[in-house]
Short mmCIF file of all heavy atoms in Angstrom, two decimals:
data_model
loop_
_atom_site.label_atom_id
_atom_site.label_comp_id
_atom_site.label_asym_id
_atom_site.label_seq_id
_atom_site.Cartn_x
_atom_site.Cartn_y
_atom_site.Cartn_z
N GLU A 57 0.85 -1.19 0.00
CA GLU A 57 0.00 0.00 0.00
C GLU A 57 0.89 1.24 0.00
O GLU A 57 1.60 1.50 0.97
CB GLU A 57 -0.92 0.03 1.22
CG GLU A 57 -1.93 -1.09 1.29
CD GLU A 57 -3.11 -0.88 0.33
OE1 GLU A 57 -3.07 0.07 -0.46
OE2 GLU A 57 -4.05 -1.68 0.39
N LYS A 58 0.88 1.97 -1.10
CA LYS A 58 1.64 3.23 -1.17
C LYS A 58 0.69 4.38 -0.86
O LYS A 58 -0.27 4.61 -1.60
CB LYS A 58 2.28 3.42 -2.54
CG LYS A 58 3.17 4.64 -2.62
CD LYS A 58 3.83 4.75 -3.99
CE LYS A 58 4.87 5.86 -4.02
NZ LYS A 58 4.31 7.18 -3.72
N LEU A 59 0.93 5.06 0.22
CA LEU A 59 0.06 6.15 0.65
C LEU A 59 0.76 7.48 0.42
O LEU A 59 1.85 7.73 0.95
CB LEU A 59 -0.30 5.99 2.13
CG LEU A 59 -1.11 4.72 2.46
CD1 LEU A 59 -1.40 4.66 3.95
CD2 LEU A 59 -2.41 4.68 1.67
N GLU A 60 0.14 8.31 -0.38
CA GLU A 60 0.71 9.62 -0.71
C GLU A 60 0.38 10.63 0.39
O GLU A 60 -0.58 10.47 1.14
CB GLU A 60 0.16 10.12 -2.04
CG GLU A 60 0.39 9.18 -3.22
CD GLU A 60 1.82 9.20 -3.70
OE1 GLU A 60 2.62 10.00 -3.18
OE2 GLU A 60 2.14 8.40 -4.60
N GLY A 61 1.17 11.68 0.44
CA GLY A 61 0.84 12.81 1.30
C GLY A 61 1.45 12.77 2.68
O GLY A 61 1.27 13.70 3.45
N TRP A 62 2.19 11.69 3.00
CA TRP A 62 2.77 11.59 4.34
C TRP A 62 4.19 12.13 4.38
O TRP A 62 4.82 12.16 5.45
CB TRP A 62 2.73 10.14 4.81
CG TRP A 62 1.32 9.71 5.06
CD1 TRP A 62 0.49 9.08 4.18
CD2 TRP A 62 0.55 9.96 6.23
NE1 TRP A 62 -0.75 8.91 4.74
CE2 TRP A 62 -0.75 9.44 6.00
CE3 TRP A 62 0.81 10.57 7.44
CZ2 TRP A 62 -1.76 9.51 6.95
CZ3 TRP A 62 -0.19 10.64 8.40
CH2 TRP A 62 -1.45 10.11 8.14
N SER A 63 4.69 12.56 3.27
CA SER A 63 6.02 13.15 3.26
C SER A 63 6.04 14.44 4.06
O SER A 63 5.05 15.16 4.14
CB SER A 63 6.46 13.44 1.82
OG SER A 63 7.68 14.14 1.82
N ALA A 64 7.19 14.72 4.66
CA ALA A 64 7.38 15.98 5.37
C ALA A 64 7.82 17.10 4.43
O ALA A 64 8.16 18.19 4.87
CB ALA A 64 8.41 15.81 6.48
N HIS A 65 7.80 16.83 3.11
CA HIS A 65 8.18 17.83 2.10
C HIS A 65 6.94 18.47 1.49
O HIS A 65 5.94 17.80 1.22
CB HIS A 65 8.98 17.18 0.97
CG HIS A 65 10.32 16.67 1.38
ND1 HIS A 65 11.47 17.38 1.20
CD2 HIS A 65 10.69 15.50 1.95
CE1 HIS A 65 12.50 16.68 1.63
NE2 HIS A 65 12.05 15.52 2.10
N ALA A 66 7.04 19.76 1.21
CA ALA A 66 5.98 20.46 0.49
C ALA A 66 5.85 19.90 -0.92
O ALA A 66 6.83 19.44 -1.52
CB ALA A 66 6.30 21.96 0.42
N ASP A 67 4.63 19.95 -1.47
CA ASP A 67 4.43 19.50 -2.85
C ASP A 67 4.59 20.67 -3.81
O ASP A 67 4.96 21.79 -3.42
CB ASP A 67 3.07 18.80 -3.01
CG ASP A 67 1.88 19.73 -2.85
OD1 ASP A 67 2.06 20.98 -2.75
OD2 ASP A 67 0.73 19.23 -2.83
N ARG A 68 4.32 20.42 -5.10
CA ARG A 68 4.65 21.42 -6.12
C ARG A 68 3.88 22.72 -5.93
O ARG A 68 4.43 23.81 -6.13
CB ARG A 68 4.40 20.85 -7.51
CG ARG A 68 2.96 20.74 -7.92
CD ARG A 68 2.79 20.15 -9.29
NE ARG A 68 1.42 20.35 -9.75
CZ ARG A 68 0.85 19.65 -10.71
NH1 ARG A 68 1.54 18.70 -11.31
NH2 ARG A 68 -0.38 19.91 -11.09
N ASP A 69 2.61 22.66 -5.53
CA ASP A 69 1.83 23.89 -5.34
C ASP A 69 2.30 24.65 -4.11
O ASP A 69 2.35 25.89 -4.11
CB ASP A 69 0.34 23.56 -5.22
CG ASP A 69 -0.28 23.19 -6.57
OD1 ASP A 69 0.44 23.28 -7.60
OD2 ASP A 69 -1.46 22.82 -6.60
N GLU A 70 2.62 23.91 -3.05
CA GLU A 70 3.10 24.57 -1.82
C GLU A 70 4.47 25.19 -2.06
O GLU A 70 4.78 26.28 -1.55
CB GLU A 70 3.15 23.55 -0.67
CG GLU A 70 3.25 24.17 0.71
CD GLU A 70 1.98 24.86 1.16
OE1 GLU A 70 0.93 24.71 0.50
OE2 GLU A 70 2.04 25.59 2.17
N LEU A 71 5.31 24.53 -2.85
CA LEU A 71 6.62 25.10 -3.20
C LEU A 71 6.46 26.38 -4.00
O LEU A 71 7.20 27.35 -3.80
CB LEU A 71 7.44 24.08 -3.98
CG LEU A 71 7.94 22.87 -3.19
CD1 LEU A 71 8.53 21.82 -4.13
CD2 LEU A 71 8.98 23.28 -2.15
N LEU A 72 5.48 26.40 -4.89
CA LEU A 72 5.23 27.62 -5.66
C LEU A 72 4.76 28.75 -4.75
O LEU A 72 5.16 29.91 -4.91
CB LEU A 72 4.19 27.34 -6.75
CG LEU A 72 4.04 28.44 -7.81
CD1 LEU A 72 5.31 28.58 -8.65
CD2 LEU A 72 2.84 28.16 -8.72
N LYS A 73 3.92 28.41 -3.75
CA LYS A 73 3.49 29.42 -2.77
C LYS A 73 4.68 29.96 -1.99
O LYS A 73 4.77 31.15 -1.70
CB LYS A 73 2.48 28.81 -1.80
CG LYS A 73 1.11 28.54 -2.39
CD LYS A 73 0.20 27.92 -1.33
CE LYS A 73 -1.13 27.49 -1.93
NZ LYS A 73 -1.99 26.80 -0.91
N PHE A 74 5.59 29.07 -1.62
CA PHE A 74 6.78 29.50 -0.90
C PHE A 74 7.60 30.47 -1.74
O PHE A 74 8.04 31.52 -1.27
CB PHE A 74 7.63 28.28 -0.52
CG PHE A 74 8.77 28.60 0.41
CD1 PHE A 74 8.63 28.41 1.77
CD2 PHE A 74 9.97 29.08 -0.09
CE1 PHE A 74 9.68 28.72 2.64
CE2 PHE A 74 11.02 29.39 0.77
CZ PHE A 74 10.88 29.21 2.14
N ALA A 75 7.78 30.12 -3.02
CA ALA A 75 8.53 31.01 -3.92
C ALA A 75 7.83 32.35 -4.08
O ALA A 75 8.47 33.41 -4.07
CB ALA A 75 8.70 30.32 -5.27
N GLU A 76 6.51 32.32 -4.22
CA GLU A 76 5.75 33.56 -4.36
C GLU A 76 5.88 34.43 -3.12
O GLU A 76 6.03 35.66 -3.21
CB GLU A 76 4.28 33.24 -4.62
CG GLU A 76 3.43 34.46 -4.90
CD GLU A 76 2.00 34.09 -5.27
OE1 GLU A 76 1.55 33.00 -4.88
OE2 GLU A 76 1.35 34.89 -5.96
N ALA A 77 5.84 33.80 -1.94
CA ALA A 77 5.97 34.56 -0.69
C ALA A 77 7.33 35.23 -0.58
O ALA A 77 7.47 36.30 0.03
CB ALA A 77 5.74 33.64 0.51
N ALA A 78 8.35 34.62 -1.17
CA ALA A 78 9.69 35.20 -1.14
C ALA A 78 9.79 36.46 -1.99
O ALA A 78 10.72 37.27 -1.83
CB ALA A 78 10.72 34.18 -1.60
N LEU A 79 8.84 36.65 -2.91
CA LEU A 79 8.84 37.83 -3.78
C LEU A 79 8.18 39.04 -3.14
O LEU A 79 8.32 40.16 -3.61
CB LEU A 79 8.12 37.51 -5.09
CG LEU A 79 8.83 36.54 -6.02
CD1 LEU A 79 7.89 36.08 -7.12
CD2 LEU A 79 10.08 37.18 -6.61
N SER A 80 7.42 38.81 -2.07
CA SER A 80 6.62 39.89 -1.48
C SER A 80 7.29 40.44 -0.24
O SER A 80 6.70 40.50 0.84
CB SER A 80 5.23 39.37 -1.12
OG SER A 80 5.32 38.24 -0.26
N GLY A 81 8.56 40.82 -0.38
CA GLY A 81 9.31 41.31 0.76
C GLY A 81 9.00 42.75 1.10
O GLY A 81 8.35 43.47 0.34
N PRO A 82 9.47 43.22 2.28
CA PRO A 82 9.27 44.61 2.69
C PRO A 82 10.08 45.56 1.82
O PRO A 82 11.04 45.15 1.17
CB PRO A 82 9.77 44.62 4.14
CG PRO A 82 10.77 43.50 4.19
CD PRO A 82 10.25 42.45 3.25
N PRO A 83 9.72 46.84 1.78
CA PRO A 83 10.44 47.81 0.93
C PRO A 83 11.92 47.86 1.21
O PRO A 83 12.72 48.07 0.31
CB PRO A 83 9.76 49.14 1.27
CG PRO A 83 8.40 48.77 1.78
CD PRO A 83 8.57 47.45 2.47
N ASP A 84 12.32 47.65 2.49
CA ASP A 84 13.74 47.73 2.83
C ASP A 84 14.40 46.35 2.81
O ASP A 84 15.55 46.19 3.21
CB ASP A 84 13.92 48.36 4.21
CG ASP A 84 13.18 47.60 5.31
OD1 ASP A 84 12.32 46.76 4.96
OD2 ASP A 84 13.47 47.84 6.50
N GLY A 85 13.68 45.34 2.37
CA GLY A 85 14.23 43.99 2.33
C GLY A 85 14.94 43.73 1.03
O GLY A 85 15.18 44.61 0.22
N GLY A 86 15.27 42.45 0.83
CA GLY A 86 15.96 42.09 -0.40
C GLY A 86 15.03 42.13 -1.59
O GLY A 86 13.81 42.05 -1.46
N CYS A 87 15.59 42.29 -2.76
CA CYS A 87 14.81 42.23 -3.99
C CYS A 87 15.21 40.94 -4.70
O CYS A 87 16.31 40.86 -5.27
CB CYS A 87 15.12 43.45 -4.86
SG CYS A 87 14.27 43.45 -6.45
N LEU A 88 14.35 39.96 -4.65
CA LEU A 88 14.69 38.63 -5.15
C LEU A 88 14.95 38.66 -6.65
O LEU A 88 14.07 39.03 -7.43
CB LEU A 88 13.57 37.65 -4.81
CG LEU A 88 13.87 36.18 -5.06
CD1 LEU A 88 15.03 35.69 -4.20
CD2 LEU A 88 12.63 35.34 -4.77
N LYS A 89 16.13 38.24 -7.05
CA LYS A 89 16.52 38.28 -8.45
C LYS A 89 16.54 36.91 -9.10
O LYS A 89 16.46 36.80 -10.31
CB LYS A 89 17.89 38.93 -8.58
CG LYS A 89 17.92 40.36 -8.06
CD LYS A 89 19.32 40.85 -7.80
CE LYS A 89 19.28 42.16 -7.05
NZ LYS A 89 18.73 42.01 -5.68
N ALA A 90 16.68 35.86 -8.29
CA ALA A 90 16.73 34.51 -8.87
C ALA A 90 16.39 33.49 -7.80
O ALA A 90 16.69 33.68 -6.62
CB ALA A 90 18.11 34.22 -9.45
N ILE A 91 15.77 32.41 -8.26
CA ILE A 91 15.49 31.27 -7.40
C ILE A 91 16.19 30.06 -8.00
O ILE A 91 16.01 29.75 -9.19
CB ILE A 91 13.98 31.00 -7.28
CG1 ILE A 91 13.29 32.18 -6.56
CG2 ILE A 91 13.71 29.69 -6.54
CD1 ILE A 91 11.78 32.05 -6.48
N PHE A 92 16.99 29.39 -7.19
CA PHE A 92 17.65 28.15 -7.60
C PHE A 92 16.83 26.97 -7.09
O PHE A 92 16.51 26.90 -5.89
CB PHE A 92 19.06 28.07 -7.00
CG PHE A 92 20.00 29.13 -7.50
CD1 PHE A 92 20.09 30.36 -6.85
CD2 PHE A 92 20.81 28.91 -8.60
CE1 PHE A 92 20.97 31.34 -7.29
CE2 PHE A 92 21.69 29.88 -9.06
CZ PHE A 92 21.76 31.10 -8.41
N THR A 93 16.48 26.06 -7.97
CA THR A 93 15.77 24.86 -7.55
C THR A 93 16.78 23.73 -7.39
O THR A 93 17.42 23.32 -8.35
CB THR A 93 14.67 24.47 -8.55
OG1 THR A 93 15.25 24.28 -9.85
CG2 THR A 93 13.61 25.54 -8.63
N ALA A 94 16.93 23.26 -6.15
CA ALA A 94 17.94 22.25 -5.82
C ALA A 94 17.30 21.17 -4.95
O ALA A 94 16.08 21.12 -4.80
CB ALA A 94 19.12 22.91 -5.10
N ILE A 95 18.12 20.29 -4.40
CA ILE A 95 17.67 19.22 -3.50
C ILE A 95 16.45 18.51 -4.09
O ILE A 95 15.37 18.48 -3.53
CB ILE A 95 17.37 19.75 -2.08
CG1 ILE A 95 18.52 20.63 -1.57
CG2 ILE A 95 17.15 18.59 -1.11
CD1 ILE A 95 18.28 21.25 -0.20
#
């Protein structure tokens, strides 16, 4: 029985949300120029 969803890793949609959240920084914060997809 292979049961999906029990991984402690975010899935593709949650990863995209994480990336999107990194773009909405404060005015004095960093300005995200690139995202490296690794691991």
Side-chain angles (χ1 to χ4, degrees):
E57 296 284 7
K58 185 177 188 300
L59 297 179
E60 303 285 356
W62 292 94
S63 174
H65 293 263
D67 68 7
R68 74 181 193 200
D69 286 356
E70 196 71 11
L71 290 170
L72 192 65
K73 288 179 186 176
F74 189 97
E76 185 175 25
L79 291 168
S80 56
D84 58 345
C87 178
L88 189 62
K89 299 163 191 67
I91 295 176
F92 295 89
T93 57
I95 312 178

